[in-house]
Amino acid sequence: MDIPLLTDEARGWVGREFDMPPFTVTEKDIRKYEAGLGNEVPEHPDTAQPLLYTALVRPIAPVAELSADGLTEDRRAPVGEGRVMFGGIDVELVRPLVVGDQVRGRRRLESLEEKYGRRGPFVLATWRTEYVDAAGEPVIRETSTQILK
C-alpha cells in the first residue's frame, strides 16, 4: 500500500500567495534578451519580446539556498521527497511590455491533485500568476503546473 503524497501540511498550501519580484522594463533588458535569443539587437527598442518577463521575475538566490532542482524552498508545496518537474505553462499576454513599464506579480497555488501514473503516484500543483502594471492593469496572466513526487 502506497503512502499518500498529499498530506494535510501540503493541502494547507492551497491558496498560498507569493509576490513575484517587481521589475521595470528597460532598453538594456530588451537588448540583452534579444542578444540571448540570437536575434538582431535593436539600437533603441521600445517593445519587449513576449517572454522577457520570465527572465526578470525569477528569484536570484545563492546556490546554497536552492534545492537540488534549482528552486527556492518557498516556491513548492511540501510533497513526498521534495522532487519537482515542470508540468507546463499557459501564458496570456494581455498587452505587450514596453520600455518603462513597472510590473509586479502575485502568484497563487490554486490546487494540488493527487494522481497515479506509470511510475507511481504524484501530485499535480497548479499555480496562477497575474502581472499588473503601475496602474494595476493586467499585462500577463500565467497558469503553470508542477509535478511533485
Side-chain angles (χ1 to χ4, degrees):
M1 180 168 118
D2 290 322
I3 297 171
L5 293 174
L6 201 48
T7 63
D8 288 342
E9 178 187 12
R11 281 185 191 91
W13 272 57
V14 174
R16 187 176 281 199
E17 295 183 346
F18 300 97
D19 287 324
M20 300 299 285
F23 62 91
T24 300
V25 177
T26 67
E27 280 189 14
K28 183 178 179 180
D29 292 328
I30 294 172
R31 290 172 53 81
K32 285 172 35 178
Y33 194 73
E34 291 286 356
L37 292 174
N39 295 339
E40 184 175 324
V41 178
E43 190 170 328
H44 296 290
D46 57 355
T47 303
Q49 286 279 345
L51 296 181
L52 169 69
Y53 81 96
T54 62
L56 301 176
V57 298
R58 300 302 175 232
I60 298 172
V63 173
E65 292 180 15
L66 299 177
S67 61
D69 53 22
L71 295 178
T72 54
E73 289 296 328
D74 66 342
R75 301 295 175 173
R76 67 156 173 238
V79 171
E81 301 168 357
R83 295 184 300 163
V84 64
M85 292 181 291
F86 178 70
I89 190 168
D90 180 41
V91 178
E92 176 190 357
L93 302 167
V94 178
R95 71 159 176 83
L97 293 174
V98 296
V99 171
D101 271 343
Q102 295 176 347
V103 181
R104 66 185 191 285
R106 188 103 173 128
R107 185 175 193 221
R108 175 185 168 84
L109 180 59
E110 292 290 316
S111 66
L112 291 171
E113 186 178 352
E114 196 159 15
K115 300 203 171 250
Y116 197 87
R118 290 188 315 239
R119 295 185 178 188
F122 65 94
V123 172
L124 190 64
T126 301
W127 294 88
R128 285 201 175 51
T129 309
E130 182 169 84
Y131 296 92
V132 298
D133 61 19
E137 295 296 319
V139 292
I140 300 165
R141 292 185 186 103
E142 174 188 281
T143 301
S144 61
T145 55
Q146 296 172 321
I147 300 167
L148 308 170
K149 291 192 71 124

